[in-house]
Amino acid sequence: MTKETKATAIGFCAILLWSSIVGLIKEVSYSFGATAGAALIYTLASAVQLLTIKWVPLTKFPRKYLFIGALLMVSYELCLALSIGYSTNARQAVEVGMVNYLWPTFTMIATVIFTAKKANWLIFPGVVISMLGIVWVLGGEEGFNISEMLSNIQTNPLSYGLAFLGAILWAVYCVVTVRIAKGVNGMTFFFMLVALVLWIKYFALGNVVDMQFNMSSVLFLLLAACAMGLSYAAWNIGILQGNVTILAGASYFIPVMSSALSSFVLAIPLGLSFWQGALMVCMGSILCWLATRSRLATPE
C-alpha cells in the first residue's frame, strides 16, 4: 500500500468519524444534558487533539485568524452540539443533523460570493435540490409537505434554527479561514475555547443537572470525544498526503452516511421519504461543486 493510499484511507476514516457525530452527541446528551454533555465532549476532544495534532503557539496565529477564525469556529461548534443536544427525540436529532449538512451547498455559495471563483448555471438547481431535500426530510412520511415541515420546525425552532445557522457559519469559516490562516491549524485552541464557553454557560446560567455516570454513558462520551477530536486530525492527513479528489467526492455523501450511523446508534427507523431527502441534499451539494469546478475548468 502506497503512502498516498494510506493517507486517503485515513481521510475516509475522518468522513466516517464525522458521520457518527450526530448520533453520539445525542446519546451523550441523554446522560449528561445538552450543555454539560457538549462541554464534556469538547473538553476530552481537546485532550485528544493535543495528543494527535501539533500544538501551535498563539504567537504564530495571524491576528485575523486568531479572532475571526475563533469566533466563527466556536460559534459553529456551539450551534452544532446544542442543536443536537436540544432536540426532543432521536428522530429530531437526525433531522437537525441533516439541516446542518446544508453546509457544502452554502460553502459553494460563499465561495462564489467571497472569492474570485465563478459558477455556471448548475449552482441554481444545486441549491434548489438541496433545499428541497430538507423539505423532504422534514415533511415526514409524505415527503414534500410544506405544512408538515413548518409544523415540525415549530415544535423545536431553537434546534432547527441553530442547525441552519451552524451550516452558514461553517461555510463562511471554510471560505474565510483559507485566506487568513496562512497555513496555521488552530483547531486544538478553538476546541478549548468551545469547551470553556460551554462550561461557563453550564455553571453561570443555571444549567446544572444531574449527570448519569455509568458504563454506557462513559462509553458514548469517549466515543463522541474521540470521533470529534480524531476526525480533524485524520482529515488533515488525508487532504495533505492523500487523493484530495476522491476524498472531496466522498465527503459529499456524509449526510447519507450520518443518517445511517445515527439510525443505528439511536435505534430509530428512517422511512423512504427521509432517505430520498438525504440523497437530494447530497446531489444538490454535488451539483454546486460541479458548478464551480466546470467554470474553473473552462478556458477564459
Side-chain angles (χ1 to χ4, degrees):
M1 184 180 291
T2 65
K3 182 179 180 180
E4 181 183 12
T5 302
K6 290 180 180 178
T8 303
I10 293 173
F12 274 117
C13 290
I15 292 173
L16 290 174
L17 289 171
W18 274 323
S19 298
S20 69
I21 284 174
V22 172
L24 293 174
I25 289 178
K26 187 57 185 174
E27 279 291 347
V28 171
S29 72
Y30 286 143
S31 300
F32 302 102
T35 303
L40 286 167
I41 289 172
Y42 283 96
T43 300
L44 293 177
S46 298
V48 171
Q49 290 201 344
L50 281 172
L51 295 173
T52 57
I53 301 177
K54 183 179 179 181
W55 170 258
V56 179
L58 297 186
T59 54
K60 293 187 177 181
F61 279 54
R63 187 177 295 272
K64 287 184 178 180
Y65 179 56
L66 180 60
F67 292 101
I68 298 176
L71 178 62
L72 290 171
M73 185 64 181
V74 172
S75 299
Y76 164 70
E77 295 293 345
L78 290 175
C79 287
L80 172 65
L82 294 179
S83 65
I84 298 169
Y86 286 148
S87 59
T88 56
N89 53 54
R91 165 78 188 209
Q92 193 173 88
V94 180
E95 292 178 352
V96 165
M98 187 59 60
V99 173
N100 178 71
Y101 287 127
L102 282 171
W103 68 259
T105 296
F106 291 161
T107 299
M108 293 300 102
I109 296 174
T111 299
V112 174
I113 293 174
F114 295 112
T115 72
K117 292 183 179 179
K118 296 181 180 180
N120 62 24
W121 63 272
L122 285 175
I123 197 168
F124 297 107
V127 172
V128 171
I129 291 173
S130 291
M131 300 306 294
L132 281 176
I134 295 300
V135 175
W136 233 269
V137 167
L138 302 184
E141 295 306 317
E142 296 182 25
F144 187 79
N145 189 322
I146 299 295
S147 61
E148 181 67 22
M149 180 197 72
L150 294 176
S151 176
N152 201 356
I153 293 174
Q154 288 172 359
T155 62
N156 192 350
L158 178 60
S159 280
Y160 291 110
L162 285 174
F164 189 80
L165 176 60
I168 296 174
L169 288 171
W170 182 248
V172 175
Y173 175 86
C174 290
V175 175
V176 171
T177 54
V178 169
R179 307 174 67 182
I180 64 176
K182 297 181 180 179
V184 174
N185 184 353
M187 201 60 65
T188 303
F189 174 64
F190 294 161
F191 266 44
M192 290 179 175
L193 286 180
V194 175
L196 177 62
V197 171
L198 285 166
W199 283 122
I200 291 174
K201 178 180 183 296
Y202 178 70
F203 287 110
L205 300 182
N207 296 126
V208 179
V209 297
D210 292 330
M211 300 187 195
Q212 301 175 15
F213 284 94
N214 52 57
M215 185 175 294
S216 175
S217 65
V218 171
L219 176 61
F220 278 116
L221 174 59
L222 291 175
L223 288 173
C226 287
M228 190 73 76
L230 292 175
S231 57
Y232 290 97
W235 184 250
N236 194 48
I237 293 173
I239 61 173
L240 290 178
Q241 304 175 23
N243 189 313
V244 179
T245 302
I246 293 176
L247 290 175
S251 68
Y252 286 104
F253 290 93
I254 289 179
V256 172
M257 292 186 285
S258 175
S259 300
L261 288 174
S262 297
S263 177
F264 173 75
V265 171
L266 300 174
I268 55 168
L270 298 173
L272 177 62
S273 62
F274 181 95
W275 293 112
Q276 290 172 337
L279 286 171
M280 289 171 70
V281 172
C282 293
M283 295 309 299
S285 299
I286 292 172
L287 284 176
C288 289
W289 176 69
L290 289 174
T292 57
R293 294 277 296 184
S294 303
R295 177 68 182 180
L296 291 172
T298 303
E300 294 292 341

